[in-house]
Amino acid sequence: MSGKEKALWYVGALVIVLYALLPVAWIISLSLKAESDLANKSFLPTNATGSNYSGIFSGDGADLFLPALRNSIVVCLISTLIAVVLAMFAAYAIARLEFPGKRLVLTSALAVAVFPVITMVTPLFNLWRQIGLYDTIPGLVIPYLALTLPISIWTMSAFFRGIPWDMEQAAQVDGATSWQAFRKVIVPLAAPGVFTTAIIAFFIAWNDFVFGISLTSTSRAQPVPAALSSFTGSSYFVQPTGAISAAAVIVTIPVVLLALVFQRRIVAGLTNGAVKG
């Protein structure tokens, strides 16, 4: 590319980055403003304060935020682990085996992945209350699998199709069983794809709001996105904007760290999955 074209690409990339980071910067600014400073329309706080952060960790909001943070971590890790393990076996069968309805399975997984979540809430709410899963950790893990498992199957099947079939056959010729060939040959080769799928599934579960607000009501199982809607101000007429902004910043940090630390693995996994299939 010529120098002018490179300059245009850099300018375009800079505009996109600024557009994406502006809401994050605005939330960070709000989280550093005192309650009396929230009416100030300036971007930067007049007197930066950490009272909003101390409030959600040791103040009035700690009893609501800390249990919700724990619930989110537990629920997201469990649902991600189950989704990745189940998707690994399902994707292997789809990529390696021939059976009737294989295309239907992939199509159904994609259809469920884009299915409106709000349509599932009311039936689940009634069913969960009847069988005792309402406001419980398992009552959130199961619906989260409906979000993470279909996209995990769809994504991971592309990675398994990209693995040469000859390598598994060679392991079986050397005396390995089908399970040993899968565990010692296929899984290590598909590790970038499995890791990428796990990160995507974790992000989907971490950001869910509809299931969290509809299927929980107390700190026993309520995740962070739902708990943020329950924050209260110092009085009835005061909006807890600063506390909500501080909690939103804290919740965003794990996602940003995962994306930055494992950026190379995610890109490598997505690239490997796009080679074939």
Side-chain angles (χ1 to χ4, degrees):
M1 292 187 296
S2 63
K4 184 178 180 179
E5 290 176 334
K6 287 183 179 180
L8 290 175
W9 276 104
Y10 285 133
V11 171
L14 181 61
V15 171
I16 293 174
V17 170
L18 292 177
Y19 178 79
L21 293 181
L22 182 60
V24 179
W26 182 254
I27 291 177
I28 294 175
S29 175
L30 287 176
S31 68
L32 296 175
K33 288 184 177 182
E35 192 174 280
S36 58
D37 196 24
L38 291 175
N40 182 10
K41 295 183 179 180
S42 64
F43 181 79
L44 296 175
T46 304
N47 294 311
T49 177
S51 59
N52 293 319
Y53 290 95
S54 61
I56 64 175
F57 281 110
S58 59
D60 297 334
D63 294 336
L64 184 63
F65 179 73
L66 293 180
L69 185 61
R70 178 202 62 207
N71 294 335
S72 286
I73 294 174
V74 171
V75 171
C76 293
L77 289 178
I78 294 176
S79 59
T80 299
L81 178 62
I82 296 175
V84 169
V85 172
L86 295 179
M88 190 185 306
F89 293 113
Y92 174 81
I94 293 171
R96 291 289 190 249
L97 305 179
E98 292 294 335
F99 57 91
K102 183 167 73 171
R103 289 185 175 274
L104 180 61
V105 172
L106 278 176
T107 305
S108 301
L110 183 61
V112 173
V114 300
F115 200 75
V117 177
I118 194 65
T119 59
M120 297 184 285
V121 169
T122 301
L124 280 177
F125 175 81
N126 294 328
L127 178 62
W128 264 209
R129 289 182 67 89
Q130 292 176 5
I131 64 178
L133 286 177
Y134 180 78
D135 200 23
T136 62
I137 296 295
L140 272 185
V141 171
I142 296 174
Y144 279 7
L145 289 176
L147 299 177
T148 58
L149 186 56
I151 193 65
S152 299
I153 294 175
W154 182 269
T155 304
M156 205 175 296
S157 61
F159 297 108
F160 280 103
R161 284 197 297 267
I163 298 175
W165 177 247
D166 296 339
M167 301 189 68
E168 184 177 2
Q169 289 179 327
Q172 293 176 347
V173 170
D174 290 338
T177 63
S178 299
W179 169 247
Q180 289 174 334
F182 173 79
R183 182 169 56 89
K184 296 182 178 181
V185 178
I186 300 300
V187 173
L189 291 175
V194 173
F195 191 86
T196 302
T197 304
I199 294 295
I200 295 174
F202 182 85
F203 286 171
I204 293 174
W206 185 263
N207 294 325
D208 172 73
F209 174 77
V210 178
F211 283 139
I213 196 66
S214 304
L215 302 180
T216 61
S217 59
T218 66
S219 59
R220 195 171 100 181
Q222 197 171 50
V224 170
L228 292 184
S229 64
S230 304
F231 273 28
T232 57
S234 58
S235 67
Y236 180 80
F237 300 100
V238 176
Q239 293 293 330
T241 306
I244 292 176
S245 300
V249 172
I250 297 300
V251 173
T252 306
I253 289 176
V255 178
V256 174
L257 290 179
L258 284 174
L260 292 177
V261 173
F262 301 110
Q263 179 182 5
R264 292 182 180 275
R265 283 182 171 268
I266 295 174
V267 173
L270 291 175
T271 303
N272 291 337
V275 172
K276 291 186 179 180

PDB file of all heavy atoms in Angstrom, residues 110-139:
ATOM      1  N   LEU A 110     -26.992 -24.005  15.501  1.00  0.00           N
ATOM      2  CA  LEU A 110     -26.932 -22.600  15.099  1.00  0.00           C
ATOM      3  C   LEU A 110     -28.262 -21.903  15.364  1.00  0.00           C
ATOM      4  O   LEU A 110     -28.298 -20.743  15.794  1.00  0.00           O
ATOM      5  CB  LEU A 110     -26.568 -22.499  13.619  1.00  0.00           C
ATOM      6  CG  LEU A 110     -26.389 -21.087  13.062  1.00  0.00           C
ATOM      7  CD1 LEU A 110     -25.269 -20.373  13.790  1.00  0.00           C
ATOM      8  CD2 LEU A 110     -26.113 -21.127  11.564  1.00  0.00           C
ATOM      9  N   ALA A 111     -29.376 -22.607  15.122  1.00  0.00           N
ATOM     10  CA  ALA A 111     -30.694 -22.015  15.354  1.00  0.00           C
ATOM     11  C   ALA A 111     -30.909 -21.716  16.833  1.00  0.00           C
ATOM     12  O   ALA A 111     -31.440 -20.657  17.198  1.00  0.00           O
ATOM     13  CB  ALA A 111     -31.784 -22.942  14.836  1.00  0.00           C
ATOM     14  N   VAL A 112     -30.483 -22.637  17.703  1.00  0.00           N
ATOM     15  CA  VAL A 112     -30.626 -22.410  19.144  1.00  0.00           C
ATOM     16  C   VAL A 112     -29.735 -21.258  19.605  1.00  0.00           C
ATOM     17  O   VAL A 112     -30.107 -20.474  20.483  1.00  0.00           O
ATOM     18  CB  VAL A 112     -30.297 -23.703  19.920  1.00  0.00           C
ATOM     19  CG1 VAL A 112     -30.272 -23.442  21.420  1.00  0.00           C
ATOM     20  CG2 VAL A 112     -31.317 -24.784  19.594  1.00  0.00           C
ATOM     21  N   ALA A 113     -28.553 -21.131  18.987  1.00  0.00           N
ATOM     22  CA  ALA A 113     -27.628 -20.079  19.376  1.00  0.00           C
ATOM     23  C   ALA A 113     -28.192 -18.688  19.105  1.00  0.00           C
ATOM     24  O   ALA A 113     -27.913 -17.743  19.852  1.00  0.00           O
ATOM     25  CB  ALA A 113     -26.300 -20.252  18.651  1.00  0.00           C
ATOM     26  N   VAL A 114     -28.984 -18.558  18.030  1.00  0.00           N
ATOM     27  CA  VAL A 114     -29.542 -17.244  17.686  1.00  0.00           C
ATOM     28  C   VAL A 114     -30.988 -17.104  18.153  1.00  0.00           C
ATOM     29  O   VAL A 114     -31.624 -16.090  17.881  1.00  0.00           O
ATOM     30  CB  VAL A 114     -29.462 -17.010  16.163  1.00  0.00           C
ATOM     31  CG1 VAL A 114     -28.028 -17.049  15.694  1.00  0.00           C
ATOM     32  CG2 VAL A 114     -30.286 -18.032  15.389  1.00  0.00           C
ATOM     33  N   PHE A 115     -31.496 -18.102  18.887  1.00  0.00           N
ATOM     34  CA  PHE A 115     -32.878 -18.063  19.359  1.00  0.00           C
ATOM     35  C   PHE A 115     -33.017 -16.984  20.431  1.00  0.00           C
ATOM     36  O   PHE A 115     -32.150 -16.844  21.295  1.00  0.00           O
ATOM     37  CB  PHE A 115     -33.269 -19.429  19.943  1.00  0.00           C
ATOM     38  CG  PHE A 115     -34.741 -19.653  20.008  1.00  0.00           C
ATOM     39  CD1 PHE A 115     -35.460 -19.932  18.860  1.00  0.00           C
ATOM     40  CD2 PHE A 115     -35.412 -19.586  21.216  1.00  0.00           C
ATOM     41  CE1 PHE A 115     -36.823 -20.153  18.920  1.00  0.00           C
ATOM     42  CE2 PHE A 115     -36.763 -19.791  21.285  1.00  0.00           C
ATOM     43  CZ  PHE A 115     -37.482 -20.077  20.131  1.00  0.00           C
ATOM     44  N   PRO A 116     -34.078 -16.178  20.388  1.00  0.00           N
ATOM     45  CA  PRO A 116     -34.249 -15.120  21.398  1.00  0.00           C
ATOM     46  C   PRO A 116     -34.344 -15.692  22.808  1.00  0.00           C
ATOM     47  O   PRO A 116     -35.175 -16.555  23.084  1.00  0.00           O
ATOM     48  CB  PRO A 116     -35.564 -14.448  20.979  1.00  0.00           C
ATOM     49  CG  PRO A 116     -35.737 -14.783  19.542  1.00  0.00           C
ATOM     50  CD  PRO A 116     -35.128 -16.141  19.356  1.00  0.00           C
ATOM     51  N   VAL A 117     -33.485 -15.220  23.685  1.00  0.00           N
ATOM     52  CA  VAL A 117     -33.441 -15.746  25.051  1.00  0.00           C
ATOM     53  C   VAL A 117     -34.721 -15.425  25.805  1.00  0.00           C
ATOM     54  O   VAL A 117     -35.186 -16.227  26.626  1.00  0.00           O
ATOM     55  CB  VAL A 117     -32.215 -15.170  25.781  1.00  0.00           C
ATOM     56  CG1 VAL A 117     -32.182 -15.629  27.237  1.00  0.00           C
ATOM     57  CG2 VAL A 117     -30.935 -15.578  25.076  1.00  0.00           C
ATOM     58  N   ILE A 118     -35.313 -14.289  25.524  1.00  0.00           N
ATOM     59  CA  ILE A 118     -36.487 -13.855  26.273  1.00  0.00           C
ATOM     60  C   ILE A 118     -37.653 -14.815  26.116  1.00  0.00           C
ATOM     61  O   ILE A 118     -38.503 -14.926  27.004  1.00  0.00           O
ATOM     62  CB  ILE A 118     -36.901 -12.424  25.817  1.00  0.00           C
ATOM     63  CG1 ILE A 118     -37.895 -11.812  26.785  1.00  0.00           C
ATOM     64  CG2 ILE A 118     -37.415 -12.444  24.397  1.00  0.00           C
ATOM     65  CD1 ILE A 118     -37.343 -11.560  28.161  1.00  0.00           C
ATOM     66  N   THR A 119     -37.706 -15.554  25.002  1.00  0.00           N
ATOM     67  CA  THR A 119     -38.814 -16.487  24.791  1.00  0.00           C
ATOM     68  C   THR A 119     -38.715 -17.710  25.688  1.00  0.00           C
ATOM     69  O   THR A 119     -39.716 -18.409  25.884  1.00  0.00           O
ATOM     70  CB  THR A 119     -38.855 -16.942  23.323  1.00  0.00           C
ATOM     71  OG1 THR A 119     -37.608 -17.576  22.992  1.00  0.00           O
ATOM     72  CG2 THR A 119     -39.075 -15.768  22.392  1.00  0.00           C
ATOM     73  N   MET A 120     -37.530 -17.985  26.225  1.00  0.00           N
ATOM     74  CA  MET A 120     -37.360 -19.154  27.095  1.00  0.00           C
ATOM     75  C   MET A 120     -37.540 -18.832  28.566  1.00  0.00           C
ATOM     76  O   MET A 120     -37.617 -19.735  29.398  1.00  0.00           O
ATOM     77  CB  MET A 120     -35.965 -19.764  26.878  1.00  0.00           C
ATOM     78  CG  MET A 120     -35.719 -20.291  25.473  1.00  0.00           C
ATOM     79  SD  MET A 120     -34.104 -21.108  25.315  1.00  0.00           S
ATOM     80  CE  MET A 120     -33.020 -19.665  25.280  1.00  0.00           C
ATOM     81  N   VAL A 121     -37.605 -17.562  28.906  1.00  0.00           N
ATOM     82  CA  VAL A 121     -37.589 -17.178  30.308  1.00  0.00           C
ATOM     83  C   VAL A 121     -38.873 -17.582  31.026  1.00  0.00           C
ATOM     84  O   VAL A 121     -38.828 -18.196  32.104  1.00  0.00           O
ATOM     85  CB  VAL A 121     -37.354 -15.657  30.434  1.00  0.00           C
ATOM     86  CG1 VAL A 121     -37.603 -15.198  31.859  1.00  0.00           C
ATOM     87  CG2 VAL A 121     -35.937 -15.319  30.018  1.00  0.00           C
ATOM     88  N   THR A 122     -40.024 -17.266  30.452  1.00  0.00           N
ATOM     89  CA  THR A 122     -41.297 -17.539  31.134  1.00  0.00           C
ATOM     90  C   THR A 122     -41.524 -19.027  31.383  1.00  0.00           C
ATOM     91  O   THR A 122     -41.869 -19.421  32.515  1.00  0.00           O
ATOM     92  CB  THR A 122     -42.467 -16.948  30.327  1.00  0.00           C
ATOM     93  OG1 THR A 122     -42.275 -15.536  30.192  1.00  0.00           O
ATOM     94  CG2 THR A 122     -43.784 -17.214  31.033  1.00  0.00           C
ATOM     95  N   PRO A 123     -41.341 -19.911  30.386  1.00  0.00           N
ATOM     96  CA  PRO A 123     -41.495 -21.348  30.688  1.00  0.00           C
ATOM     97  C   PRO A 123     -40.504 -21.837  31.733  1.00  0.00           C
ATOM     98  O   PRO A 123     -40.864 -22.630  32.611  1.00  0.00           O
ATOM     99  CB  PRO A 123     -41.247 -22.020  29.328  1.00  0.00           C
ATOM    100  CG  PRO A 123     -41.460 -20.973  28.319  1.00  0.00           C
ATOM    101  CD  PRO A 123     -41.099 -19.687  28.951  1.00  0.00           C
ATOM    102  N   LEU A 124     -39.251 -21.371  31.650  1.00  0.00           N
ATOM    103  CA  LEU A 124     -38.261 -21.797  32.635  1.00  0.00           C
ATOM    104  C   LEU A 124     -38.600 -21.274  34.029  1.00  0.00           C
ATOM    105  O   LEU A 124     -38.415 -21.977  35.023  1.00  0.00           O
ATOM    106  CB  LEU A 124     -36.872 -21.308  32.221  1.00  0.00           C
ATOM    107  CG  LEU A 124     -36.144 -22.119  31.149  1.00  0.00           C
ATOM    108  CD1 LEU A 124     -34.823 -21.455  30.798  1.00  0.00           C
ATOM    109  CD2 LEU A 124     -35.903 -23.539  31.613  1.00  0.00           C
ATOM    110  N   PHE A 125     -39.089 -20.052  34.099  1.00  0.00           N
ATOM    111  CA  PHE A 125     -39.451 -19.479  35.393  1.00  0.00           C
ATOM    112  C   PHE A 125     -40.524 -20.330  36.074  1.00  0.00           C
ATOM    113  O   PHE A 125     -40.397 -20.667  37.259  1.00  0.00           O
ATOM    114  CB  PHE A 125     -39.958 -18.055  35.200  1.00  0.00           C
ATOM    115  CG  PHE A 125     -40.463 -17.410  36.459  1.00  0.00           C
ATOM    116  CD1 PHE A 125     -39.581 -16.854  37.370  1.00  0.00           C
ATOM    117  CD2 PHE A 125     -41.825 -17.354  36.732  1.00  0.00           C
ATOM    118  CE1 PHE A 125     -40.040 -16.255  38.535  1.00  0.00           C
ATOM    119  CE2 PHE A 125     -42.294 -16.760  37.889  1.00  0.00           C
ATOM    120  CZ  PHE A 125     -41.400 -16.210  38.795  1.00  0.00           C
ATOM    121  N   ASN A 126     -41.560 -20.696  35.329  1.00  0.00           N
ATOM    122  CA  ASN A 126     -42.629 -21.522  35.903  1.00  0.00           C
ATOM    123  C   ASN A 126     -42.134 -22.924  36.258  1.00  0.00           C
ATOM    124  O   ASN A 126     -42.452 -23.467  37.324  1.00  0.00           O
ATOM    125  CB  ASN A 126     -43.795 -21.617  34.917  1.00  0.00           C
ATOM    126  CG  ASN A 126     -44.472 -20.283  34.691  1.00  0.00           C
ATOM    127  OD1 ASN A 126     -44.521 -19.442  35.597  1.00  0.00           O
ATOM    128  ND2 ASN A 126     -44.986 -20.059  33.490  1.00  0.00           N
ATOM    129  N   LEU A 127     -41.338 -23.520  35.366  1.00  0.00           N
ATOM    130  CA  LEU A 127     -40.837 -24.874  35.619  1.00  0.00           C
ATOM    131  C   LEU A 127     -39.868 -24.904  36.787  1.00  0.00           C
ATOM    132  O   LEU A 127     -39.937 -25.807  37.641  1.00  0.00           O
ATOM    133  CB  LEU A 127     -40.161 -25.409  34.352  1.00  0.00           C
ATOM    134  CG  LEU A 127     -39.544 -26.804  34.446  1.00  0.00           C
ATOM    135  CD1 LEU A 127     -40.613 -27.846  34.743  1.00  0.00           C
ATOM    136  CD2 LEU A 127     -38.793 -27.152  33.164  1.00  0.00           C
ATOM    137  N   TRP A 128     -38.968 -23.944  36.840  1.00  0.00           N
ATOM    138  CA  TRP A 128     -37.971 -23.910  37.913  1.00  0.00           C
ATOM    139  C   TRP A 128     -38.630 -23.745  39.280  1.00  0.00           C
ATOM    140  O   TRP A 128     -38.173 -24.318  40.264  1.00  0.00           O
ATOM    141  CB  TRP A 128     -36.994 -22.774  37.647  1.00  0.00           C
ATOM    142  CG  TRP A 128     -35.719 -23.127  36.941  1.00  0.00           C
ATOM    143  CD1 TRP A 128     -34.521 -22.490  37.071  1.00  0.00           C
ATOM    144  CD2 TRP A 128     -35.493 -24.160  35.965  1.00  0.00           C
ATOM    145  NE1 TRP A 128     -33.571 -23.058  36.246  1.00  0.00           N
ATOM    146  CE2 TRP A 128     -34.142 -24.080  35.560  1.00  0.00           C
ATOM    147  CE3 TRP A 128     -36.294 -25.136  35.389  1.00  0.00           C
ATOM    148  CZ2 TRP A 128     -33.576 -24.953  34.633  1.00  0.00           C
ATOM    149  CZ3 TRP A 128     -35.743 -25.989  34.450  1.00  0.00           C
ATOM    150  CH2 TRP A 128     -34.415 -25.900  34.093  1.00  0.00           C
ATOM    151  N   ARG A 129     -39.687 -22.943  39.377  1.00  0.00           N
ATOM    152  CA  ARG A 129     -40.374 -22.760  40.654  1.00  0.00           C
ATOM    153  C   ARG A 129     -41.087 -24.041  41.075  1.00  0.00           C
ATOM    154  O   ARG A 129     -41.201 -24.321  42.278  1.00  0.00           O
ATOM    155  CB  ARG A 129     -41.377 -21.608  40.560  1.00  0.00           C
ATOM    156  CG  ARG A 129     -40.720 -20.246  40.465  1.00  0.00           C
ATOM    157  CD  ARG A 129     -41.765 -19.131  40.433  1.00  0.00           C
ATOM    158  NE  ARG A 129     -42.473 -19.035  41.704  1.00  0.00           N
ATOM    159  CZ  ARG A 129     -42.079 -18.298  42.730  1.00  0.00           C
ATOM    160  NH1 ARG A 129     -40.971 -17.581  42.633  1.00  0.00           N
ATOM    161  NH2 ARG A 129     -42.777 -18.254  43.829  1.00  0.00           N
ATOM    162  N   GLN A 130     -41.543 -24.816  40.125  1.00  0.00           N
ATOM    163  CA  GLN A 130     -42.253 -26.050  40.454  1.00  0.00           C
ATOM    164  C   GLN A 130     -41.316 -27.157  40.909  1.00  0.00           C
ATOM    165  O   GLN A 130     -41.668 -27.948  41.798  1.00  0.00           O
ATOM    166  CB  GLN A 130     -43.063 -26.527  39.240  1.00  0.00           C
ATOM    167  CG  GLN A 130     -44.224 -25.619  38.879  1.00  0.00           C
ATOM    168  CD  GLN A 130     -44.938 -26.078  37.620  1.00  0.00           C
ATOM    169  OE1 GLN A 130     -44.630 -27.121  37.058  1.00  0.00           O
ATOM    170  NE2 GLN A 130     -45.897 -25.283  37.163  1.00  0.00           N
ATOM    171  N   ILE A 131     -40.122 -27.229  40.325  1.00  0.00           N
ATOM    172  CA  ILE A 131     -39.211 -28.330  40.655  1.00  0.00           C
ATOM    173  C   ILE A 131     -38.107 -27.907  41.626  1.00  0.00           C
ATOM    174  O   ILE A 131     -37.228 -28.711  41.955  1.00  0.00           O
ATOM    175  CB  ILE A 131     -38.584 -28.930  39.382  1.00  0.00           C
ATOM    176  CG1 ILE A 131     -37.702 -27.901  38.661  1.00  0.00           C
ATOM    177  CG2 ILE A 131     -39.657 -29.438  38.447  1.00  0.00           C
ATOM    178  CD1 ILE A 131     -37.013 -28.455  37.429  1.00  0.00           C
ATOM    179  N   GLY A 132     -38.120 -26.670  42.098  1.00  0.00           N
ATOM    180  CA  GLY A 132     -37.191 -26.235  43.123  1.00  0.00           C
ATOM    181  C   GLY A 132     -35.833 -25.758  42.634  1.00  0.00           C
ATOM    182  O   GLY A 132     -34.882 -25.699  43.429  1.00  0.00           O
ATOM    183  N   LEU A 133     -35.707 -25.411  41.366  1.00  0.00           N
ATOM    184  CA  LEU A 133     -34.440 -24.911  40.838  1.00  0.00           C
ATOM    185  C   LEU A 133     -34.381 -23.392  40.779  1.00  0.00           C
ATOM    186  O   LEU A 133     -33.336 -22.839  40.413  1.00  0.00           O
ATOM    187  CB  LEU A 133     -34.187 -25.477  39.432  1.00  0.00           C
ATOM    188  CG  LEU A 133     -33.768 -26.938  39.361  1.00  0.00           C
ATOM    189  CD1 LEU A 133     -33.615 -27.374  37.910  1.00  0.00           C
ATOM    190  CD2 LEU A 133     -32.470 -27.168  40.122  1.00  0.00           C
ATOM    191  N   TYR A 134     -35.466 -22.736  41.140  1.00  0.00           N
ATOM    192  CA  TYR A 134     -35.466 -21.274  41.096  1.00  0.00           C
ATOM    193  C   TYR A 134     -34.533 -20.712  42.166  1.00  0.00           C
ATOM    194  O   TYR A 134     -34.515 -21.175  43.310  1.00  0.00           O
ATOM    195  CB  TYR A 134     -36.889 -20.743  41.306  1.00  0.00           C
ATOM    196  CG  TYR A 134     -36.987 -19.237  41.272  1.00  0.00           C
ATOM    197  CD1 TYR A 134     -36.973 -18.552  40.064  1.00  0.00           C
ATOM    198  CD2 TYR A 134     -37.075 -18.504  42.458  1.00  0.00           C
ATOM    199  CE1 TYR A 134     -37.050 -17.164  40.036  1.00  0.00           C
ATOM    200  CE2 TYR A 134     -37.171 -17.127  42.436  1.00  0.00           C
ATOM    201  CZ  TYR A 134     -37.153 -16.462  41.214  1.00  0.00           C
ATOM    202  OH  TYR A 134     -37.220 -15.091  41.201  1.00  0.00           O
ATOM    203  N   ASP A 135     -33.742 -19.711  41.800  1.00  0.00           N
ATOM    204  CA  ASP A 135     -32.806 -19.048  42.691  1.00  0.00           C
ATOM    205  C   ASP A 135     -31.755 -20.030  43.239  1.00  0.00           C
ATOM    206  O   ASP A 135     -31.427 -20.012  44.424  1.00  0.00           O
ATOM    207  CB  ASP A 135     -33.549 -18.376  43.844  1.00  0.00           C
ATOM    208  CG  ASP A 135     -32.704 -17.289  44.519  1.00  0.00           C
ATOM    209  OD1 ASP A 135     -31.789 -16.772  43.865  1.00  0.00           O
ATOM    210  OD2 ASP A 135     -32.967 -16.994  45.701  1.00  0.00           O
ATOM    211  N   THR A 136     -31.241 -20.889  42.376  1.00  0.00           N
ATOM    212  CA  THR A 136     -30.170 -21.815  42.745  1.00  0.00           C
ATOM    213  C   THR A 136     -29.074 -21.759  41.684  1.00  0.00           C
ATOM    214  O   THR A 136     -29.302 -21.332  40.552  1.00  0.00           O
ATOM    215  CB  THR A 136     -30.688 -23.260  42.855  1.00  0.00           C
ATOM    216  OG1 THR A 136     -31.184 -23.692  41.585  1.00  0.00           O
ATOM    217  CG2 THR A 136     -31.783 -23.365  43.900  1.00  0.00           C
ATOM    218  N   ILE A 137     -27.882 -22.218  42.050  1.00  0.00           N
ATOM    219  CA  ILE A 137     -26.770 -22.266  41.108  1.00  0.00           C
ATOM    220  C   ILE A 137     -27.060 -23.225  39.955  1.00  0.00           C
ATOM    221  O   ILE A 137     -26.870 -22.860  38.786  1.00  0.00           O
ATOM    222  CB  ILE A 137     -25.467 -22.652  41.835  1.00  0.00           C
ATOM    223  CG1 ILE A 137     -25.082 -21.575  42.854  1.00  0.00           C
ATOM    224  CG2 ILE A 137     -24.333 -22.873  40.845  1.00  0.00           C
ATOM    225  CD1 ILE A 137     -24.743 -20.238  42.245  1.00  0.00           C
ATOM    226  N   PRO A 138     -27.520 -24.464  40.209  1.00  0.00           N
ATOM    227  CA  PRO A 138     -27.874 -25.346  39.077  1.00  0.00           C
ATOM    228  C   PRO A 138     -28.975 -24.760  38.205  1.00  0.00           C
ATOM    229  O   PRO A 138     -29.011 -25.012  36.994  1.00  0.00           O
ATOM    230  CB  PRO A 138     -28.339 -26.641  39.758  1.00  0.00           C
ATOM    231  CG  PRO A 138     -27.675 -26.625  41.088  1.00  0.00           C
ATOM    232  CD  PRO A 138     -27.623 -25.181  41.497  1.00  0.00           C
ATOM    233  N   GLY A 139     -29.863 -23.975  38.803  1.00  0.00           N
ATOM    234  CA  GLY A 139     -30.921 -23.353  38.026  1.00  0.00           C
ATOM    235  C   GLY A 139     -30.431 -22.308  37.060  1.00  0.00           C
ATOM    236  O   GLY A 139     -31.150 -21.924  36.121  1.00  0.00           O
TER     237      GLY A 139
END
